[in-house]
Amino acid sequence: MHRDDASRPTPVAGPDGTLGGPPREPAWDAAFFDLDNTMVRGASLFYFARGLAARGFFSRRELQRFGRRALHFALRGENLGHLVEVRELALAFVAGHTTAEIRQIGEEVYDEHVEAKVRAGTRALARRHLDAGAPVWLVTAAPVELADVIARRLGLTGALGTVAESVDGTYTGRLTGEPLHGQAKADAVRALAGDRGFDLSRCAAYSDSANDLPLLGLVGSPSAVNPDRALRRHALAHGWPVHEFRSWQHVARWSVRAGGVAAGAVVVAGLLRRR
């Protein structure tokens, strides 16, 4: 999908008033959006875990661990060690289940937990790329089954995510490759660009986390969305657009809600124990 003209697009004001948002003319090859705390408030993997818990996949102790990790993520942001721990738990719990069953749960989790957490501002950024004729991809460490559901429901082009190994339609409890985190995200996008013919210098990327600097540095037009402290400093130092869709009132509400996630996990665990 290379284009003959070599001119760079002129930045225009984004939906939140920042400069450097996607242009209105079809001047982009593709756009790549992180999922957690960028397109969706919070961590989609934890929403998926809540859906599994409600369906009896977890013990009380395991559910409490997920609740604590969800609280930490909501208040302090992404932590690779915690994500790895939750991923390993999730892999163990889906082992022996069919891919069709887990994908169906992903559909239900979107309706139950994710849809209400989609950020309108980030969705508007993605929609402007789509309206300009550019494909838009989610790129996330979350399970690709859930990422596929979210991308399809939002009308995006597709999704790249962490792939769990399956044999004859049944999960083995192991990964195929590595989690799509940090440098692995950039490598996956580079491979996709090579396959689809995208010129990365004419692509855009959006993320909230400094962990995604390899991806953001790969494209010609990186942007920070609701950035953590390290990414905000980096973006300002390099003149990248910063899109802020949070308000102080919302941050306060999210902090309280995060506490409710942990409390809710304990409540669900109690119900499961009584059952």
Side-chain angles (χ1 to χ4, degrees):
M1 197 177 293
H2 294 288
R3 294 185 173 86
D4 295 332
D5 63 297
S7 60
R8 296 302 305 276
T10 302
V12 298
D16 56 345
T18 60
L19 291 178
R24 297 184 183 279
E25 66 274 9
W28 303 87
D29 273 13
F32 305 99
F33 283 77
D34 174 52
L35 178 59
D36 297 337
N37 273 341
T38 301
M39 184 65 74
V40 172
R41 296 197 306 271
S44 56
L45 182 59
F46 294 120
Y47 298 138
F48 190 57
R50 290 176 65 185
L52 293 178
R55 291 157 178 81
F57 279 63
F58 302 155
S59 69
R60 179 174 181 270
R61 177 177 298 178
E62 291 157 346
L63 186 54
Q64 288 173 329
R65 288 171 65 186
F66 274 113
R68 287 194 296 270
R69 295 300 177 248
L71 176 60
H72 185 282
F73 183 89
L75 297 180
R76 298 186 180 182
E78 185 176 278
N79 179 291
L80 179 57
H82 289 170
L83 289 178
V84 168
E85 179 184 355
V86 173
R87 185 201 74 220
E88 295 299 330
L89 286 171
L91 283 172
F93 297 140
V94 301
H97 293 271
T98 66
T99 56
E101 178 185 5
I102 298 303
R103 286 185 179 276
Q104 179 58 39
I105 291 175
E107 297 280 356
E108 296 166 3
V109 167
Y110 181 88
D111 293 329
E112 296 166 2
H113 301 294
V114 176
E115 185 175 24
K117 306 298 191 302
V118 174
R119 290 194 181 277
T122 312
R123 187 175 188 176
L125 289 174
R127 175 50 54 187
R128 292 182 68 182
H129 282 290
L130 290 168
D131 290 345
V136 174
W137 289 76
L138 286 182
V139 189
T140 175
V144 70
E145 291 83 359
L146 184 58
D148 282 341
V149 169
I150 296 172
R152 179 166 46 77
R153 294 291 192 96
L154 294 179
L156 307 184
T157 308
L160 301 174
T162 299
V163 179
E165 181 185 74
S166 63
V167 176
D168 296 330
T170 300
Y171 290 108
T172 66
R174 297 183 296 270
L175 286 183
T176 297
E178 59 182 318
L180 221 60
H181 182 272
Q183 184 60 46
K185 276 191 182 182
D187 293 341
V189 166
R190 184 182 290 106
L192 178 69
D195 182 61
R196 301 297 178 99
F198 300 148
D199 180 350
L200 288 170
S201 71
R202 298 183 63 81
C203 290
Y206 300 81
S207 178
D208 72 295
S209 173
N211 290 318
D212 284 337
L213 282 173
L215 169 61
L216 295 170
L218 185 67
V219 300
S221 297
S223 294
V225 177
N226 309 319
D228 59 28
R229 194 172 306 171
L231 179 56
R232 183 181 294 275
R233 285 197 301 264
H234 188 95
L236 294 177
H238 290 79
W240 295 355
V242 176
H243 301 274
E244 181 58 74
F245 300 123
R246 298 167 298 188
S247 65
W248 287 109
Q249 293 84 355
H250 174 72
V251 170
R253 286 198 301 270
W254 175 243
S255 298
V256 172
R257 190 178 300 169
V261 170
V266 175
V267 170
V268 173
L271 293 173
L272 290 174
R273 183 177 59 179
R274 286 198 295 274
R275 185 179 68 182

